[in-house]
Amino acid sequence: MEDTPKFESLPLSRRSLLSAGAALGLSAAVPGCSNAGRGGTSGSNDSAAKAKVRPAYVRYDGVKADLPGARYGIPDGFLRYPADPVQAITEPPGDGKPIEVMTSTNTPIPPAVAQNAFWQQFNERVGSPVQLNLTPSVSYDEKFATSVAGGTLGDIFSIGNVPQKPQMLAAKAVDLTPHLAGDKITKYPYLANLPETSWNATIFDGKIYGIPIPRGAISSEVLYARKDILDDQGLPAELKSADDFVRLCKALTDKRKNRFALADLPTGYVRNMFGIPNSWKEADGKLVSGFEHPAQEEALALVQQLWKSGYIHPDAFTSQNQDRKTRFGNGTGPLVQATFSGWPTYLQTMDQDAEIAIIPPPAHDGSGVGHTWLGAPTLSVTAISKAAEARVETMLAYLNYLAAPFGTSEYLFRKYGIKGIDHQVQDGDPVLTKKGFSETQLALQYQADGPWAIFLPERKGSTESCFNAMKEICPQAVANPVDGMYSETASRKGGQLNRDINAVSDDIIQGRAPVSAWGQAVKKWKSAGGDKIAEELYAQYKTSR
């Protein structure tokens, strides 16, 4: 239950500018390898080398989708949870000893195990006490670097961003190739059910160093709207131009009701209107950053106009993820940019009579449709620490348990907890209670997860609404051509480069700097490392074709 990519791919200028991870080639899930930390890539990182060790794909066909999504490149949709779900795991995966997990979270920290009935039963079902070290996603990279240096990664850890990441993994993580390469993965059938493209993000120098958390189209960012509020005001849930967007924002803003049209910055959505690439674009035999697109200044000027007009919540630059959900849910911010995967948590913030609509981006000049940036195939990667190498099969069995797919009893428990405590059954389907929403937030979906399923029992018609919106938008969405590829320069310098260019974009939007300051900021970004990042990523891109 998330609504933004985590630490590896947060959009610039908080959540709303170009993807900080993708734009700089950063990712918690990064295939490829630097050449001894000097920038280039080793020859063993081409697509042929990855193909030699990539795990086999064995699709799980235990449940039939009501709304098949494969032809559209989107997840399957399900209108009901099976009345008699299959038990996917016959023996507890644990070995009785604690399993220490370090990962990030986008939700409030759950109650401790002593006060958490779900966590207690989860431990029983796993067969080992699972000890969690959870860090807010915005702070995870820092925590990860500290843990690498201090040797406190635990048994299982989400891979954060540090310099010389391939070398770090070789030193700290178990080489899973002997356990997962090719048909060997069939010992773990629910890991074998993960899409082949997601595994590319786990391979360094011809070795598998982790388990991918697959996402893809479901993590594409779109504009959510409170359809009930729009309907009450007679406003359409569609736009034909940037001017339409401004008019909608003006109509929704009502200072007397403490209502601002936009719960957060809409910069990514505005960039979609102007046809700005999804982080990178190949042109003239090289890789060109979306930062350099000629429409950047025009897009920033539009966001600046929205800010000056008071249509964006005044705390947009300082608030956290949960704040914008709250604003959307209580109607004080009826428009918000978020991923499709956030739909369940947004439903949790809304009254039963509230309704979500998705507004596709129009071309800014009214000439047609804009384009959405397609979500990356892999959200993050989970590795097993060498400290737990003697228990590697237990760790893989645990991750396989977490990847049990929709339709199984394991998935039902993992997502909805204990019947009567964490969820109630409504019209035959599980619906989280407030207690369940709190207790189940153990970041299990950031440790391992099966392919996403569109299943939204909280609100009648929501599954169809989400599926149809994705069906309309995602087949034409624009992918980042170097998603998941690794740049050592980005790993070493990307954080500071992002902070510098973020500061300029923030200043422009808030009127502290002219729009023309963007051009100079991009020149600085390029000379300080951006051009080198492009060079390194393009070298990998060419070997993948």
Side-chain angles (χ1 to χ4, degrees):
M1 295 182 179
E2 68 227 57
D3 68 275
T4 60
K6 301 192 298 150
F7 44 85
E8 76 286 351
S9 189
L10 291 174
L12 279 175
S13 189
R14 309 301 185 261
R15 291 166 294 272
S16 305
L17 294 181
L18 279 173
S19 166
L24 292 177
L26 301 177
S27 175
V30 281
C33 178
S34 69
N35 181 13
R38 293 191 294 270
T41 59
S42 73
S44 61
N45 284 294
D46 60 25
S47 56
K50 292 176 184 177
K52 290 179 182 179
V53 298
R54 187 185 299 117
Y57 173 62
V58 183
R59 178 182 168 87
Y60 175 78
D61 289 317
V63 62
K64 183 179 180 181
D66 298 297
L67 303 169
R71 65 180 292 192
Y72 310 109
I74 65 177
D76 290 336
F78 297 89
L79 302 180
R80 303 300 297 268
Y81 207 88
D84 298 306
V86 175
Q87 183 179 350
I89 307 292
T90 57
E91 296 290 336
D95 57 8
K97 302 175 184 177
I99 297 175
E100 299 178 7
V101 180
M102 188 179 82
T103 189
S104 70
T105 182
N106 282 320
T107 54
I109 300 298
V113 65
Q115 291 81 41
N116 191 323
F118 168 74
W119 196 342
Q120 293 168 22
Q121 191 168 133
F122 177 73
N123 286 345
E124 289 182 18
R125 294 193 181 203
V126 169
S128 282
V130 178
Q131 300 173 352
L132 298 177
N133 184 348
L134 300 180
T135 301
S137 57
V138 294
S139 306
Y140 188 77
D141 278 351
E142 181 180 352
K143 174 65 174 288
F144 180 73
T146 301
S147 297
V148 170
T152 57
L153 289 169
D155 300 319
I156 293 173
F157 59 90
S158 296
I159 301 174
N161 189 55
V162 292
Q164 297 191 350
K165 188 176 296 181
Q167 292 86 344
M168 179 278 296
L169 288 173
K172 301 290 186 179
V174 175
D175 174 9
L176 300 177
T177 314
H179 304 276
L180 301 179
D183 292 337
K184 294 175 183 177
I185 198 173
T186 56
K187 182 177 180 180
Y188 308 100
Y190 307 115
L191 298 181
N193 183 45
L194 304 183
E196 288 181 284
T197 52
S198 291
W199 287 99
N200 289 338
T202 71
I203 301 170
F204 300 77
D205 273 341
K207 297 179 181 179
I208 302 169
Y209 280 109
I211 305 300
I213 311 297
R215 288 298 183 266
I218 196 71
S219 62
S220 303
E221 287 199 336
V222 290
L223 187 69
Y224 281 58
R226 281 286 301 272
K227 185 176 184 300
D228 52 306
I229 294 176
L230 268 61
D231 288 347
D232 285 347
Q233 293 188 219
L235 299 170
E238 61 179 340
L239 301 170
K240 295 184 178 179
S241 67
D243 288 341
D244 275 0
F245 183 48
V246 174
R247 283 190 285 268
L248 177 63
C249 291
K250 180 178 181 180
L252 286 171
T253 299
D254 188 339
K255 302 296 177 58
R256 293 170 301 178
K257 296 181 179 180
N258 192 36
R259 176 182 292 167
F260 302 86
L262 292 152
D264 204 356
L265 292 167
T267 320
Y269 183 74
V270 170
R271 289 172 185 254
N272 291 162
M273 296 184 196
F274 285 86
I276 292 170
N278 184 352
S279 304
W280 297 94
K281 182 178 181 179
E282 184 189 21
D284 302 323
K286 62 180 180 179
L287 205 60
V288 180
S289 170
F291 290 152
E292 301 177 64
H293 193 276
Q296 286 281 6
E297 292 189 7
E298 197 173 353
L300 285 171
L302 177 55
V303 182
Q304 183 188 74
Q305 176 189 345
L306 295 168
W307 176 261
K308 286 182 176 179
S309 299
Y311 302 155
I312 302 171
H313 196 281
D315 295 332
F317 285 90
T318 57
S319 55
Q320 299 300 313
N321 194 29
Q322 191 61 36
D323 296 323
R324 60 177 181 159
K325 295 178 186 177
T326 300
R327 293 170 197 148
F328 185 80
N330 64 23
T332 58
L335 302 175
V336 69
Q337 181 179 317
T339 62
F340 281 113
S341 63
W343 204 302
T345 53
Y346 276 93
L347 288 177
Q348 283 283 337
T349 69
M350 296 161 43
D351 294 333
Q352 281 296 320
D353 58 352
E355 191 176 353
I356 290 172
I358 299 296
I359 304 180
H364 71 98
D365 58 2
S367 60
V369 297
H371 63 228
T372 298
W373 293 333
L374 187 66
T378 307
L379 177 71
S380 61
V381 169
T382 298
I384 297 172
S385 171
K386 280 192 173 178
E389 189 161 12
R391 302 169 65 205
V392 63
E393 292 189 357
T394 294
M395 301 302 156
L396 287 172
Y398 169 70
L399 296 172
N400 181 66
Y401 169 82
L402 294 181
F406 182 92
T408 65
S409 59
E410 289 79 6
Y411 181 101
L412 178 63
F413 173 73
R414 195 171 75 248
K415 300 289 186 179
Y416 294 95
I418 304 167
K419 181 179 177 181
I421 297 177
D422 297 311
H423 76 266
Q424 302 291 343
V425 177
Q426 298 179 10
D427 297 326
D429 284 323
V431 176
L432 281 171
T433 62
K434 287 185 177 180
K435 184 178 183 67
F437 185 73
S438 173
E439 285 196 343
T440 60
Q441 300 303 321
L442 305 186
L444 301 179
Q445 75 273 29
Y446 298 143
Q447 299 173 45
D449 204 1
W452 196 274
I454 303 174
F455 176 63
L456 299 163
E458 296 88 350
R459 200 80 91 255
K460 185 177 177 60
S462 289
T463 295
E464 296 95 326
S465 295
C466 182
F467 183 88
N468 289 334
M470 293 193 72
K471 177 181 171 181
E472 176 186 358
I473 292 172
C474 294
Q476 289 77 43
V478 178
N480 174 2
V482 293
D483 257 328
M485 295 182 184
Y486 179 75
S487 160
E488 176 59 28
T489 300
S491 187
R492 289 186 289 107
K493 297 184 177 182
Q496 187 59 53
L497 289 172
N498 275 335
R499 286 189 288 273
D500 289 347
I501 204 163
N502 271 343
V504 176
S505 61
D506 286 357
D507 285 346
I508 290 171
I509 292 169
Q510 294 175 88
R512 295 192 296 262
V515 173
S516 59
W518 180 255
Q520 187 58 41
V522 173
K523 288 181 181 178
K524 181 179 178 181
W525 176 86
K526 285 166 61 66
S527 63
D531 283 342
K532 185 64 175 176
I533 292 168
E535 178 185 321
E536 292 170 5
L537 291 175
Y538 191 61
Q540 289 193 49
Y541 174 77
K542 287 192 295 184
T543 67
S544 70
R545 301 195 65 176

